[in-house]
mmCIF file of all heavy atoms in Angstrom:
data_model
loop_
_atom_site.group_PDB
_atom_site.id
_atom_site.type_symbol
_atom_site.label_atom_id
_atom_site.label_comp_id
_atom_site.label_asym_id
_atom_site.label_seq_id
_atom_site.Cartn_x
_atom_site.Cartn_y
_atom_site.Cartn_z
ATOM 1 N N PRO N 1 39.661 -46.347 -1.617
ATOM 2 C CA PRO N 1 38.241 -46.792 -1.672
ATOM 3 C C PRO N 1 37.516 -46.446 -0.338
ATOM 4 O O PRO N 1 36.249 -45.993 -0.442
ATOM 5 C CB PRO N 1 38.306 -48.306 -1.955
ATOM 6 C CG PRO N 1 39.680 -48.431 -2.489
ATOM 7 C CD PRO N 1 40.586 -47.449 -1.893
ATOM 8 N N ASN N 2 38.173 -46.588 0.772
ATOM 9 C CA ASN N 2 37.484 -46.298 2.066
ATOM 10 C C ASN N 2 37.128 -44.812 2.140
ATOM 11 O O ASN N 2 36.041 -44.493 2.635
ATOM 12 C CB ASN N 2 38.461 -46.621 3.192
ATOM 13 C CG ASN N 2 38.695 -48.156 3.357
ATOM 14 O OD1 ASN N 2 37.808 -48.902 2.921
ATOM 15 N ND2 ASN N 2 39.824 -48.505 3.840
ATOM 16 N N VAL N 3 38.005 -43.932 1.802
ATOM 17 C CA VAL N 3 37.749 -42.510 1.721
ATOM 18 C C VAL N 3 36.593 -42.249 0.809
ATOM 19 O O VAL N 3 35.720 -41.376 1.097
ATOM 20 C CB VAL N 3 38.976 -41.666 1.326
ATOM 21 C CG1 VAL N 3 38.608 -40.204 1.168
ATOM 22 C CG2 VAL N 3 40.092 -41.847 2.328
ATOM 23 N N LEU N 4 36.587 -42.761 -0.431
ATOM 24 C CA LEU N 4 35.510 -42.514 -1.336
ATOM 25 C C LEU N 4 34.118 -43.033 -0.762
ATOM 26 O O LEU N 4 33.185 -42.359 -0.966
ATOM 27 C CB LEU N 4 35.837 -43.264 -2.737
ATOM 28 C CG LEU N 4 36.897 -42.614 -3.467
ATOM 29 C CD1 LEU N 4 37.270 -43.463 -4.735
ATOM 30 C CD2 LEU N 4 36.606 -41.221 -3.922
ATOM 31 N N CYS N 5 34.253 -44.194 -0.183
ATOM 32 C CA CYS N 5 33.023 -44.721 0.354
ATOM 33 C C CYS N 5 32.403 -43.873 1.549
ATOM 34 O O CYS N 5 31.193 -43.639 1.566
ATOM 35 C CB CYS N 5 33.147 -46.191 0.931
ATOM 36 S SG CYS N 5 33.402 -47.374 -0.370
ATOM 37 N N ARG N 6 33.341 -43.343 2.280
ATOM 38 C CA ARG N 6 32.903 -42.418 3.330
ATOM 39 C C ARG N 6 32.316 -41.096 2.806
ATOM 40 O O ARG N 6 31.343 -40.622 3.308
ATOM 41 C CB ARG N 6 34.115 -42.125 4.262
ATOM 42 C CG ARG N 6 33.791 -41.261 5.504
ATOM 43 C CD ARG N 6 34.950 -41.134 6.399
ATOM 44 N NE ARG N 6 34.663 -40.287 7.593
ATOM 45 C CZ ARG N 6 34.837 -39.036 7.580
ATOM 46 N NH1 ARG N 6 35.260 -38.372 6.536
ATOM 47 N NH2 ARG N 6 34.557 -38.266 8.666
ATOM 48 N N LYS N 7 32.967 -40.569 1.693
ATOM 49 C CA LYS N 7 32.434 -39.394 1.156
ATOM 50 C C LYS N 7 31.023 -39.664 0.550
ATOM 51 O O LYS N 7 30.181 -38.759 0.614
ATOM 52 C CB LYS N 7 33.455 -38.893 0.119
ATOM 53 C CG LYS N 7 34.666 -38.204 0.710
ATOM 54 C CD LYS N 7 35.622 -37.706 -0.474
ATOM 55 C CE LYS N 7 36.881 -37.065 0.128
ATOM 56 N NZ LYS N 7 37.700 -36.532 -0.988
ATOM 57 N N ASN N 8 30.881 -40.792 -0.081
ATOM 58 C CA ASN N 8 29.565 -41.034 -0.627
ATOM 59 C C ASN N 8 28.542 -41.233 0.420
ATOM 60 O O ASN N 8 27.424 -40.752 0.240
ATOM 61 C CB ASN N 8 29.737 -42.364 -1.501
ATOM 62 C CG ASN N 8 30.465 -42.299 -2.707
ATOM 63 O OD1 ASN N 8 30.705 -41.070 -3.268
ATOM 64 N ND2 ASN N 8 31.040 -43.328 -3.271
ATOM 65 N N ARG N 9 28.801 -41.815 1.584
ATOM 66 C CA ARG N 9 27.933 -41.957 2.595
ATOM 67 C C ARG N 9 27.457 -40.643 3.233
ATOM 68 O O ARG N 9 26.270 -40.356 3.479
ATOM 69 C CB ARG N 9 28.508 -42.856 3.766
ATOM 70 C CG ARG N 9 28.569 -44.307 3.360
ATOM 71 C CD ARG N 9 28.750 -45.135 4.687
ATOM 72 N NE ARG N 9 29.955 -44.777 5.336
ATOM 73 C CZ ARG N 9 31.073 -45.374 5.212
ATOM 74 N NH1 ARG N 9 31.227 -46.401 4.245
ATOM 75 N NH2 ARG N 9 32.123 -44.986 5.896
ATOM 76 N N ILE N 10 28.573 -39.732 3.309
ATOM 77 C CA ILE N 10 28.252 -38.382 3.829
ATOM 78 C C ILE N 10 27.330 -37.581 2.844
ATOM 79 O O ILE N 10 26.357 -36.947 3.175
ATOM 80 C CB ILE N 10 29.503 -37.638 4.079
ATOM 81 C CG1 ILE N 10 30.288 -38.246 5.276
ATOM 82 C CG2 ILE N 10 29.276 -36.132 4.429
ATOM 83 C CD1 ILE N 10 31.725 -37.742 5.423
ATOM 84 N N LEU N 11 27.589 -37.741 1.521
ATOM 85 C CA LEU N 11 26.866 -36.996 0.599
ATOM 86 C C LEU N 11 25.463 -37.610 0.506
ATOM 87 O O LEU N 11 24.444 -36.801 0.421
ATOM 88 C CB LEU N 11 27.513 -37.202 -0.839
ATOM 89 C CG LEU N 11 26.775 -36.554 -1.982
ATOM 90 C CD1 LEU N 11 26.608 -35.015 -1.859
ATOM 91 C CD2 LEU N 11 27.480 -36.763 -3.340
ATOM 92 N N LEU N 12 25.291 -38.850 0.581
ATOM 93 C CA LEU N 12 23.934 -39.465 0.650
ATOM 94 C C LEU N 12 23.184 -39.015 1.783
ATOM 95 O O LEU N 12 21.934 -38.615 1.733
ATOM 96 C CB LEU N 12 24.075 -40.943 0.602
ATOM 97 C CG LEU N 12 22.783 -41.860 0.789
ATOM 98 C CD1 LEU N 12 21.947 -41.540 -0.435
ATOM 99 C CD2 LEU N 12 23.106 -43.310 0.830
ATOM 100 N N GLY N 13 23.849 -39.054 2.973
ATOM 101 C CA GLY N 13 23.098 -38.571 4.152
ATOM 102 C C GLY N 13 22.682 -37.117 4.041
ATOM 103 O O GLY N 13 21.532 -36.783 4.452
ATOM 104 N N GLU N 14 23.554 -36.206 3.568
ATOM 105 C CA GLU N 14 23.089 -34.852 3.377
ATOM 106 C C GLU N 14 22.004 -34.599 2.392
ATOM 107 O O GLU N 14 21.179 -33.785 2.656
ATOM 108 C CB GLU N 14 24.402 -33.988 2.919
ATOM 109 C CG GLU N 14 25.445 -33.927 3.958
ATOM 110 C CD GLU N 14 24.973 -33.267 5.257
ATOM 111 O OE1 GLU N 14 24.217 -32.216 5.102
ATOM 112 O OE2 GLU N 14 25.309 -33.687 6.364
ATOM 113 N N LEU N 15 22.052 -35.386 1.303
ATOM 114 C CA LEU N 15 20.971 -35.261 0.272
ATOM 115 C C LEU N 15 19.658 -35.758 0.863
ATOM 116 O O LEU N 15 18.638 -35.128 0.563
ATOM 117 C CB LEU N 15 21.375 -36.077 -0.982
ATOM 118 C CG LEU N 15 22.505 -35.494 -1.935
ATOM 119 C CD1 LEU N 15 22.779 -36.412 -3.084
ATOM 120 C CD2 LEU N 15 22.081 -34.089 -2.368
ATOM 121 N N VAL N 16 19.680 -36.819 1.638
ATOM 122 C CA VAL N 16 18.420 -37.349 2.205
ATOM 123 C C VAL N 16 17.912 -36.320 3.206
ATOM 124 O O VAL N 16 16.674 -35.989 3.078
ATOM 125 C CB VAL N 16 18.748 -38.673 3.035
ATOM 126 C CG1 VAL N 16 17.486 -38.992 3.861
ATOM 127 C CG2 VAL N 16 19.135 -39.785 2.054
ATOM 128 N N LYS N 17 18.685 -35.647 4.055
ATOM 129 C CA LYS N 17 18.238 -34.680 4.885
ATOM 130 C C LYS N 17 17.718 -33.396 4.156
ATOM 131 O O LYS N 17 16.634 -32.801 4.549
ATOM 132 C CB LYS N 17 19.286 -34.224 5.933
ATOM 133 C CG LYS N 17 19.619 -35.266 6.904
ATOM 134 C CD LYS N 17 20.590 -34.748 7.906
ATOM 135 C CE LYS N 17 21.974 -34.550 7.404
ATOM 136 N NZ LYS N 17 22.913 -34.247 8.445
ATOM 137 N N THR N 18 18.372 -33.010 3.106
ATOM 138 C CA THR N 18 18.026 -31.927 2.301
ATOM 139 C C THR N 18 16.567 -32.172 1.633
ATOM 140 O O THR N 18 15.778 -31.339 1.639
ATOM 141 C CB THR N 18 19.061 -31.569 1.244
ATOM 142 O OG1 THR N 18 20.205 -31.279 1.889
ATOM 143 C CG2 THR N 18 18.657 -30.348 0.480
ATOM 144 N N ASP N 19 16.451 -33.371 1.000
ATOM 145 C CA ASP N 19 15.264 -33.784 0.318
ATOM 146 C C ASP N 19 14.042 -33.750 1.248
ATOM 147 O O ASP N 19 13.023 -33.269 0.895
ATOM 148 C CB ASP N 19 15.510 -35.145 -0.430
ATOM 149 C CG ASP N 19 16.259 -34.966 -1.665
ATOM 150 O OD1 ASP N 19 16.504 -33.879 -2.154
ATOM 151 O OD2 ASP N 19 16.737 -36.038 -2.163
ATOM 152 N N PHE N 20 14.298 -34.243 2.451
ATOM 153 C CA PHE N 20 13.160 -34.351 3.369
ATOM 154 C C PHE N 20 12.780 -32.993 3.905
ATOM 155 O O PHE N 20 11.538 -32.810 4.071
ATOM 156 C CB PHE N 20 13.623 -35.260 4.575
ATOM 157 C CG PHE N 20 12.501 -35.655 5.501
ATOM 158 C CD1 PHE N 20 11.610 -36.592 5.153
ATOM 159 C CD2 PHE N 20 12.396 -34.987 6.735
ATOM 160 C CE1 PHE N 20 10.546 -36.964 6.095
ATOM 161 C CE2 PHE N 20 11.282 -35.272 7.553
ATOM 162 C CZ PHE N 20 10.432 -36.277 7.158
ATOM 163 N N LYS N 21 13.808 -32.081 4.135
ATOM 164 C CA LYS N 21 13.367 -30.761 4.606
ATOM 165 C C LYS N 21 12.669 -29.989 3.397
ATOM 166 O O LYS N 21 11.639 -29.255 3.721
ATOM 167 C CB LYS N 21 14.572 -29.993 4.970
ATOM 168 C CG LYS N 21 15.245 -30.436 6.207
ATOM 169 C CD LYS N 21 16.579 -29.772 6.585
ATOM 170 C CE LYS N 21 17.240 -30.341 7.772
ATOM 171 N NZ LYS N 21 18.526 -29.581 8.172
ATOM 172 N N LEU N 22 13.209 -30.050 2.206
ATOM 173 C CA LEU N 22 12.540 -29.323 1.065
ATOM 174 C C LEU N 22 11.182 -29.892 0.741
ATOM 175 O O LEU N 22 10.300 -29.077 0.232
ATOM 176 C CB LEU N 22 13.463 -29.496 -0.142
ATOM 177 C CG LEU N 22 14.775 -28.707 -0.235
ATOM 178 C CD1 LEU N 22 15.603 -29.056 -1.407
ATOM 179 C CD2 LEU N 22 14.673 -27.229 -0.009
ATOM 180 N N ARG N 23 10.935 -31.111 1.011
ATOM 181 C CA ARG N 23 9.658 -31.741 0.718
ATOM 182 C C ARG N 23 8.497 -30.974 1.506
ATOM 183 O O ARG N 23 7.498 -30.790 0.883
ATOM 184 C CB ARG N 23 9.675 -33.154 1.157
ATOM 185 C CG ARG N 23 8.348 -33.916 0.867
ATOM 186 C CD ARG N 23 8.302 -34.217 -0.533
ATOM 187 N NE ARG N 23 7.011 -34.873 -0.932
ATOM 188 C CZ ARG N 23 6.775 -36.162 -0.873
ATOM 189 N NH1 ARG N 23 7.776 -36.966 -0.537
ATOM 190 N NH2 ARG N 23 5.593 -36.670 -1.133
ATOM 191 N N TYR N 24 8.727 -30.599 2.743
ATOM 192 C CA TYR N 24 7.724 -29.991 3.506
ATOM 193 C C TYR N 24 8.021 -28.507 3.841
ATOM 194 O O TYR N 24 7.409 -27.889 4.672
ATOM 195 C CB TYR N 24 7.608 -30.769 4.759
ATOM 196 C CG TYR N 24 7.187 -32.213 4.506
ATOM 197 C CD1 TYR N 24 8.117 -33.248 4.775
ATOM 198 C CD2 TYR N 24 5.961 -32.620 4.066
ATOM 199 C CE1 TYR N 24 7.804 -34.498 4.514
ATOM 200 C CE2 TYR N 24 5.603 -33.892 3.782
ATOM 201 C CZ TYR N 24 6.499 -34.874 4.060
ATOM 202 O OH TYR N 24 6.304 -36.175 3.803
ATOM 203 N N GLN N 25 9.027 -27.903 3.124
ATOM 204 C CA GLN N 25 9.327 -26.550 3.288
ATOM 205 C C GLN N 25 8.173 -25.656 2.990
ATOM 206 O O GLN N 25 7.549 -25.776 1.836
ATOM 207 C CB GLN N 25 10.612 -26.113 2.568
ATOM 208 C CG GLN N 25 11.146 -24.731 2.917
ATOM 209 C CD GLN N 25 12.390 -24.437 2.157
ATOM 210 O OE1 GLN N 25 12.631 -25.044 1.180
ATOM 211 N NE2 GLN N 25 13.351 -23.684 2.811
ATOM 212 N N GLY N 26 7.776 -24.726 3.870
ATOM 213 C CA GLY N 26 6.649 -23.746 3.484
ATOM 214 C C GLY N 26 5.356 -24.269 3.846
ATOM 215 O O GLY N 26 4.273 -23.640 3.643
ATOM 216 N N SER N 27 5.286 -25.594 4.208
ATOM 217 C CA SER N 27 3.949 -26.147 4.611
ATOM 218 C C SER N 27 3.618 -25.881 6.124
ATOM 219 O O SER N 27 4.584 -25.980 6.976
ATOM 220 C CB SER N 27 4.049 -27.674 4.437
ATOM 221 O OG SER N 27 3.009 -28.315 4.973
ATOM 222 N N VAL N 28 2.422 -25.555 6.416
ATOM 223 C CA VAL N 28 2.075 -25.176 7.757
ATOM 224 C C VAL N 28 2.151 -26.420 8.703
ATOM 225 O O VAL N 28 2.678 -26.413 9.817
ATOM 226 C CB VAL N 28 0.556 -24.683 7.865
ATOM 227 C CG1 VAL N 28 0.194 -24.428 9.238
ATOM 228 C CG2 VAL N 28 0.496 -23.361 7.011
ATOM 229 N N LEU N 29 1.762 -27.548 8.181
ATOM 230 C CA LEU N 29 1.695 -28.741 9.014
ATOM 231 C C LEU N 29 3.046 -29.615 8.825
ATOM 232 O O LEU N 29 3.284 -30.581 9.647
ATOM 233 C CB LEU N 29 0.663 -29.639 8.639
ATOM 234 C CG LEU N 29 -0.742 -29.207 8.928
ATOM 235 C CD1 LEU N 29 -1.900 -30.135 8.318
ATOM 236 C CD2 LEU N 29 -0.982 -28.856 10.346
ATOM 237 N N GLY N 30 3.938 -29.221 7.922
ATOM 238 C CA GLY N 30 5.236 -29.805 7.756
ATOM 239 C C GLY N 30 5.198 -31.270 7.500
ATOM 240 O O GLY N 30 4.409 -31.802 6.789
ATOM 241 N N CYS N 31 6.045 -32.094 8.315
ATOM 242 C CA CYS N 31 6.153 -33.478 8.027
ATOM 243 C C CYS N 31 4.953 -34.255 8.568
ATOM 244 O O CYS N 31 4.743 -35.477 8.281
ATOM 245 C CB CYS N 31 7.296 -34.059 8.718
ATOM 246 S SG CYS N 31 7.401 -33.855 10.452
ATOM 247 N N MET N 32 3.928 -33.515 9.208
ATOM 248 C CA MET N 32 2.760 -34.228 9.540
ATOM 249 C C MET N 32 2.011 -34.740 8.281
ATOM 250 O O MET N 32 1.198 -35.665 8.408
ATOM 251 C CB MET N 32 1.817 -33.256 10.302
ATOM 252 C CG MET N 32 2.192 -32.995 11.813
ATOM 253 S SD MET N 32 2.077 -34.508 12.669
ATOM 254 C CE MET N 32 0.310 -34.744 12.718
#
């Protein structure tokens, strides 16, 4: 269970970073 929880946390973190980057990808002002 500890390994699965750790993998889930890592996956969640990577998806959050990916979604945030894709949200403003190609935008001149970006996250502004």
Side-chain angles (χ1 to χ4, degrees):
N2 292 333
V3 172
L4 291 176
C5 288
R6 183 172 179 274
K7 288 183 178 180
N8 289 340
R9 287 197 301 270
I10 293 173
L11 178 60
L12 177 60
E14 290 300 319
L15 286 178
V16 170
K17 288 188 288 186
T18 302
D19 285 345
F20 190 75
K21 290 178 181 178
L22 290 176
R23 180 75 184 274
Y24 302 105
Q25 189 176 29
S27 172
V28 175
L29 297 177
C31 63
M32 284 295 295

